C-alpha cells in the first residue's frame, strides 16, 4: 500500500466509492430523488449483468455535503484512533510525501467531501447519492450501478470482515480495495455498453489501456484533488484506475465468476494488481521484519504502488518510476523516535529495507531512488558510491542508502552521530525470501 498515512482516505473510500463529478448540465435539484427512484430497476439489471442475486432489498438515500462530511469523520474514527492517524501522518511527513505543516485528516476529509458523488456504507448496509449539482442521467445511472455493485459484493462476500482480514498489512489492504473498486468500475462500464447494445470490452487490450489512461487527474486544475500532494492523490485514485485494469484481466475470456473467485483468493499485494500474471501465478512477496524498537512510531509495507508514489512525490518521471518498481520483491518501512516526534516528524528517523527479484531490478530501483532520496534528503551529498550514498543537512541530519545484491536499505533524518548505527540496524532486519514463480 502507499504509506499508511493516506489509509484514512482509503478506508473511507472502501465505504464510499470515490467518484468525480460527471458531465454537468443545468442544475436539477430533483435529480437525486429521480435517480433513487430508478435504483430498483438499475439494481435488477446490475444483478443480472454481474451474476450476483439481490439477497435483500438495498436501502437507498440522499446525503448532503454536511452529512457526508460527518459520515466520513465517523468512519475515520472507527477505522483508526486519532493517535494512529497522527502516526500515519508522521510517516508521510518524515518521508516527504506531504509537507510537514499539512493537516492530513482535514485534507483527506475535504478531498472526499469534494469527490464523493455516491457511496455504499456496509456498516449501515445502505447506498447514498451525494446531493451535489445536477448531472447527466446516463452518468448518474452508471454511478448508481457502481454503488449497487458494492451492495451486492457486501451481500455475497461480507465487505467489512473481508477488508479487516488484512488491516495490519497496508499493501494487501490496498490490493483488496483495488479488487472492490475495480469490480464496481468494470460493472458500470459494462452496464453503459449493454444499454447501447455492446458486449464487454475486456478482450481488447487497447480499450482497457485507454480506459485506465483516462482516469488520471491533471495537476493544477481547479478542484482540490488536482492540487493535492501527488502521493495522496495517486493513493486515492489507485483502487479505481489499477483496479479496473486488474478486473479486466480477470474478465478477459472469462465470465464474472472469475471475479467472484478473486474475492475467495484476493490479490496479496499491489504488485499482483499491477501485474495480473503474478496474481495468476500467486507470486508472494518477501516478508521483512524490522528489529524491535520501543521508539517505533509506525511500521508498514508500502508495496510496489507505495514506492512508486514515493518516487513520483520526489520528482521521478512516471514512466521511470513504473519501470523501476516492476521488480519489487518486498519491503518494510518504519519511523522511529520519541513520542513528541509524532507532532514533529522532522525529529523522527525513517528506515526502510526493500528487496528485488533480481540484482538488475535492484539496480534499476537504485538509479531512480537515488534521485528521489536526493530530493528527500535536501542536503549535501558527501558519499557518492555505486552502492552507498550519504547526504547531510546543515542541521546535522543524515540520509543514507546502501545496496547489497538485491537488497537496498535507506535511512533518513538520522542524527549525525547515530546514522551508521541506524543503517547497520536496518541490515539486521530478517528477510523471508519468497519463491519466484
Amino acid at each position: 500500500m502507499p504509506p499508511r498515512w493516506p489509509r484514512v482516505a482509503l478506508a473511507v473510500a472502501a465505504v464510499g466509492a470515490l467518484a468525480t463529478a460527471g458531465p454537468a448540465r443545468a442544475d436539477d435539484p430533483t435529480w437525486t430523488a429521480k435517480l433513487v427512484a430508478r435504483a430498483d430497476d438499475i439494481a435488477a439489471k446490475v444483478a443480472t449483468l454481474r451474476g450476483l442475486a439481490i439477497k435483500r432489498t438495498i436501502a437507498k438515500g440522499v446525503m448532503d455535503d454536511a452529512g457526508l462530511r460527518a459520515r466520513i469523520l465517523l468512519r475515520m474514527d472507527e477505522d483508526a484512533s486519532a493517535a494512529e492517524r497522527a502516526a500515519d501522518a508522521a510517516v508521510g511527513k518524515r518521508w516527504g510525501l506531504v509537507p510537514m505543516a499539512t493537516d492530513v485528516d482535514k485534507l483527506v476529509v475535504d478531498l472526499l467531501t469534494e469527490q464523493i458523488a455516491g457511496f455504499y456504507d456496509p456498516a449501515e448496509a445502505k447506498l447514498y447519492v451525494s446531493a451535489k449539482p445536477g448531472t447527466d442521467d446516463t452518468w448518474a445511472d452508471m454511478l448508481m450501478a457502481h454503488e449497487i455493485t458494492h451492495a451486492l459484493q457486501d451481500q455475497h462476500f461480507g465487505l467489512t470482515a473481508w477488508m479487516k482480514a488484512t488491516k495490519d498489512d497496508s499493501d494487501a489492504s490496498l490490493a483488496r480495495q483495488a479488487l472492490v473498486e475495480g469490480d464496481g468500475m468494470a460493472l458500470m462500464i459494462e452496464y453503459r455498453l449493454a444499454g447501447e447494445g455492446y458486449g464487454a470490452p475486456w478482450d481488447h487490450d487497447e480499450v482497457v489501456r485507454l480506459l485506465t489512461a483516462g482516469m488520471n487527474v491533471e495537476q493544477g486544475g481547479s478542484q482540490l484533488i488536482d492540487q493535492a500532494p501527488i502521493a495522496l492523490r495517486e493513493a486515492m485514485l489507485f483502487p479505481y484506475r489499477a483496479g479496473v485494469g486488474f478486473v479486466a484481466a480477470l474478465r478477459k475470456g472469462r465470465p464474472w465468476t472469475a471475479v467472484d473467485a478473486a474475492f475467495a483468493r484476493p490479490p496479496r499485494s499491489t504488485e499482483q494488481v499491477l501485474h495480473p500474471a503474478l496474481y495468476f501465478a500467486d507470486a508472494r512477496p518477501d516478508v521483512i521484519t524490522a528489529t524491535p524498537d520501543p521508539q517505533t512510531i509506525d511500521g508498514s509495507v508500502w508495496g510496489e504502488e507505495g514506492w512508486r508514489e514515493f518516487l513520483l512525490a520526489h520528482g521521478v518521471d512516471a514512466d521511470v518510476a513504473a519501470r523501476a518498481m516492476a521488480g519489487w520483491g518486498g519491503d518494510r518501512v518504519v519511523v522511529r523516535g520519541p513520542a513528541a516526534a509524532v507532532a514533529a516528524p522532522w525529529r523522527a528517523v525513517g528506515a526502510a529495507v526493500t528487496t528485488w527479484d533480481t540484482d538488475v531490478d535492484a539496480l534499476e530501483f537504485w538509479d531512480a531512488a537515488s534521485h528521489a532520496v536526493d530530493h528527500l534528503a535536501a542536503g549535501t551529498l558527501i558519499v557518492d558510491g555505486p552502492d552507498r550514498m550519504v547526504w547531510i543537512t546543515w542541521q546535522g541530519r543524515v540520509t543514507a542508502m546502501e545496496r547489497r545484491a538485491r537488497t537496498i536499505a535507506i535511512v533518513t533524518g538520522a542524527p549525525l552521530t547515530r546514522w551508521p548505527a541506524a543503517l547497520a540496524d536496518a541490515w539486521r532486519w530478517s528477510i523471508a525470501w519468497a519463491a519466484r514463480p
Side-chain angles (χ1 to χ4, degrees):
M1 179 178 182
R4 281 175 47 187
W5 57 266
R7 177 182 65 181
V8 289
L10 298 167
V12 176
V15 173
L18 185 151
T20 55
R25 68 175 189 188
D27 188 25
D28 176 4
T30 67
W31 81 273
T32 52
K34 291 175 180 176
L35 177 58
V36 169
R38 298 195 300 271
D40 288 341
D41 180 58
I42 296 171
K45 294 176 182 177
V46 168
T48 299
L49 189 62
R50 180 61 180 79
L52 294 176
I54 301 172
K55 293 186 174 183
R56 52 191 174 274
T57 302
I58 301 168
K60 300 165 285 292
V62 177
M63 186 175 288
D64 61 18
D65 277 0
L68 177 58
R69 191 176 190 89
R71 182 64 58 93
I72 293 168
L73 288 166
L74 174 65
R75 295 293 177 248
M76 282 173 61
D77 286 338
E78 291 175 348
D79 177 65
S81 68
E84 290 174 316
R85 297 200 306 273
D88 292 346
V91 174
K93 293 173 182 180
R94 174 64 276 174
W95 287 93
L97 303 172
V98 291
M100 285 285 180
T102 303
D103 183 338
V104 174
D105 272 8
K106 181 180 185 303
L107 178 57
V108 166
V109 173
D110 289 347
L111 281 167
L112 290 174
T113 302
E114 174 192 78
Q115 291 296 304
I116 288 177
F119 67 97
Y120 172 76
D121 188 343
E124 192 182 0
K126 187 171 181 177
L127 181 159
Y128 287 95
V129 176
S130 179
K132 287 182 166 60
T135 189
D136 175 77
D137 282 349
T138 299
W139 180 88
D141 287 359
M142 291 171 67
L143 165 68
M144 181 61 72
H146 182 114
E147 302 311 330
I148 288 168
T149 303
H150 290 328
L152 296 178
Q153 291 168 342
D154 193 31
Q155 290 185 9
H156 284 261
F157 310 122
L159 285 183
T160 300
W162 187 80
M163 284 301 301
K164 284 184 177 179
T166 54
K167 182 176 173 63
D168 295 328
D169 186 331
S170 301
D171 188 52
S173 292
L174 184 57
R176 288 188 177 217
Q177 186 60 39
L179 173 58
V180 170
E181 296 301 345
D183 185 0
M185 293 295 293
L187 186 285
M188 82 176 195
I189 291 167
E190 286 198 32
Y191 180 90
R192 169 71 182 272
L193 292 174
E196 298 180 0
Y198 297 103
W202 314 123
D203 289 345
H204 305 284
D205 294 340
E206 183 62 17
V207 173
V208 175
R209 189 191 68 77
L210 290 172
L211 282 171
T212 55
M215 293 182 191
N216 294 318
V217 294
E218 212 165 301
Q219 197 162 12
S222 59
Q223 289 193 317
L224 184 58
I225 195 168
D226 303 319
Q227 303 164 26
I230 189 169
L232 178 55
R233 185 171 74 244
E234 288 294 303
M236 295 177 76
L237 291 173
F238 176 83
Y240 303 88
R241 185 173 56 211
V244 73
F246 178 67
V247 170
L250 296 176
R251 286 280 283 117
K252 187 175 183 179
R254 303 177 187 87
W256 275 108
T257 51
V259 180
D260 299 343
F263 279 90
R265 184 177 77 80
R268 298 178 184 275
S269 64
T270 55
E271 179 188 48
Q272 288 192 351
V273 172
L274 291 163
H275 310 283
L278 297 179
Y279 169 78
F280 294 124
D282 197 21
R284 304 186 181 212
D286 302 325
V287 178
I288 302 172
T289 305
T291 54
D293 189 315
Q295 287 202 323
T296 297
I297 293 171
D298 196 71
S300 62
V301 176
W302 282 11
E304 177 172 341
E305 174 59 15
W307 281 101
R308 186 188 73 88
E309 291 165 12
F310 170 79
L311 296 178
L312 293 176
H314 292 289
V316 176
D317 175 79
D319 290 337
V320 173
R323 288 194 300 271
M325 291 312 306
W328 176 87
D331 72 75
R332 173 67 60 176
V333 182
V334 302
V335 168
R336 291 167 171 166
V342 174
W346 59 269
R347 296 179 57 188
V349 177
V353 171
T354 65
T355 56
W356 303 88
D357 292 343
T358 67
D359 289 7
V360 172
D361 292 323
L363 279 169
E364 190 160 22
F365 175 73
W366 175 271
D367 288 342
S370 63
H371 296 285
V373 175
D374 179 69
H375 183 268
L376 168 68
T380 301
L381 182 63
I382 59 173
V383 176
D384 187 9
D387 298 313
R388 174 182 273 203
M389 301 179 76
V390 181
W391 296 259
I392 187 169
T393 68
W394 66 268
Q395 301 99 327
R397 293 278 174 168
V398 174
T399 295
M401 57 187 292
E402 189 171 77
R403 182 179 66 87
R404 299 180 185 175
R406 55 192 179 103
T407 303
I408 293 172
I410 303 172
V411 169
T412 186
L416 181 61
T417 58
R418 288 172 42 204
W419 76 266
L423 187 60
D425 174 78
W427 286 113
R428 288 193 293 271
W429 295 5
S430 67
I431 302 175
W433 297 93
R436 295 291 180 261

